[in-house]
Amino acid sequence: MYERRKTRQISVGSVPVGGDAPVSIQSMTTTKTDNVDATLIQVHALATQGADIVRVAVPHEGDAKALPMIVREGGVPIIADIHFSVRLALMAIEAGVHGLRLNPGNMRNPKHIKEVADAARERGIPIRIGVNAGSLDKKLVAKYGRPTAEALVESALYEIGLLEQHGFRDIKVSVKHQNVPEMINAYRLLAAETDVPFHLGVTEAGTPKQGVTKSAIGIGTLLAEGIGDTIRVSLTADPVEEVKVGKQILHALGIRQDSFDLVACPSCGRAELDVFELANEVEERIEKMDLPPMQIAVMGCEVNGPGEARDADIGIAAGPGRGLLFAKGKQIGWVPHDKLVDALLEAAEQVAGEIRAAGDADPDGAVTVLKGAGRRNALLSLGLRPTDD
Ligand code: SF4
């Protein structure tokens, strides 16, 4: 649906970023990196949730010394986040990290930039230039009066130039701002100036209450314009939440379909049951199931309910005392309210089975589920009476 901005492709370990590579999701650990056990637990939790790449902070030598083990056991590409120190950057490269995040402009000695660029090139390690409104060069803040989008872009282009003058091109870049319009503007301006792939993010977006909305608007707007190659949602929360939100952003835009999509009505005075309770229970239980991507609809009455439920892979439309269950556009049967969730999930499992059997990542058209004996058996197993199709 979206024409991607043409960017050069780099590789963060096994994950390609830029070009025609899928938009990847990143997060960052909140542990002290030198606490290897705690860091690895968090890295694994992030990878399990769907993070493609995980970044760890490396402010001290002890953190750099922990990197070999984290890289070896992490199971996902690891990026070392380093500021100022050429020594730590070289230690991280030596440790085998899959990427560096640093700002070469923070390294005062031009010889150090060349040293890091040469070592990274030798190991095939990309570098992200992470320009951030909160740590923008004071000269640029003075020039522009505040960290404007233009100031971020000037900084990014300068930093890119510092690496490229040493022939180092495995670069990605971010121009993060806590102000969403400014962030969007910065990436748009920079997109016109370079083919370096972009790491998108709204910095310091805050707690999930506000941060989810800010991130969805900032990152989502740019992705919808084809701008962005990898994303990080920054939340003041367990980083696992960042990955969940990142996946939801990509899912909502139709960029990545690797989870379920719950369509649920907001409820109103016509609702025949407690839609909030029903939708939340369905969501909670489905999150624990290993389902291929599918759309599931939970609708509170017979006004819009049957239409939405019919359009989804699996859906229910509540009526008085019972609800109508649909699978792939077919009516399966009427189910009492107290059995709706079980019936829905049972049907979801069966659709999932057919999707897997079809071996097709795209469920549309691949599934002709719950017909004939299979449908009858499904209903009978729930103690329900089949209706006519
Ligand atoms: S589907 Fe029915 S209950 Fe839900 S919001 Fe629409 S009219 Fe109200």
Side-chain angles (χ1 to χ4, degrees), residues 2-79:
Y2 311 104
E3 194 180 335
R4 287 272 294 279
R5 166 181 163 255
K6 294 200 184 345
T7 57
R8 68 181 80 158
Q9 190 172 89
I10 62 167
S11 289
V12 182
S14 57
V15 178
V17 174
D20 58 0
V23 177
S24 50
I25 297 174
Q26 311 198 14
S27 184
M28 188 171 182
T29 54
T30 55
T31 55
K32 297 290 182 196
T33 304
D34 64 358
N35 185 339
V36 175
D37 288 346
T39 301
L40 278 174
I41 286 171
Q42 203 167 54
V43 169
H44 292 158
L46 291 167
T48 301
Q49 189 59 52
D52 301 297
I53 298 166
V54 175
R55 182 162 44 118
V56 301
V58 184
H60 306 296
E61 190 173 324
D63 304 310
K65 286 181 174 165
L67 288 174
M69 175 75 99
I70 293 167
V71 169
R72 194 165 60 242
E73 303 293 331
V76 67
I78 300 291
I79 292 180

Side-chain angles (χ1 to χ4, degrees), residues 327-328 330 354 363 365-372:
K328 298 304 285 183
K330 298 264 197 297
E354 295 236 1
V367 182
T368 52
V369 293
L370 300 176
K371 289 203 297 199

Side-chain angles (χ1 to χ4, degrees), residues 265-272 275 299-305:
C265 81
S267 182
C268 72
R270 290 191 192 87
E272 300 286 358
V275 182
M299 304 295 292
C301 81
E302 294 166 313
V303 175
N304 294 328

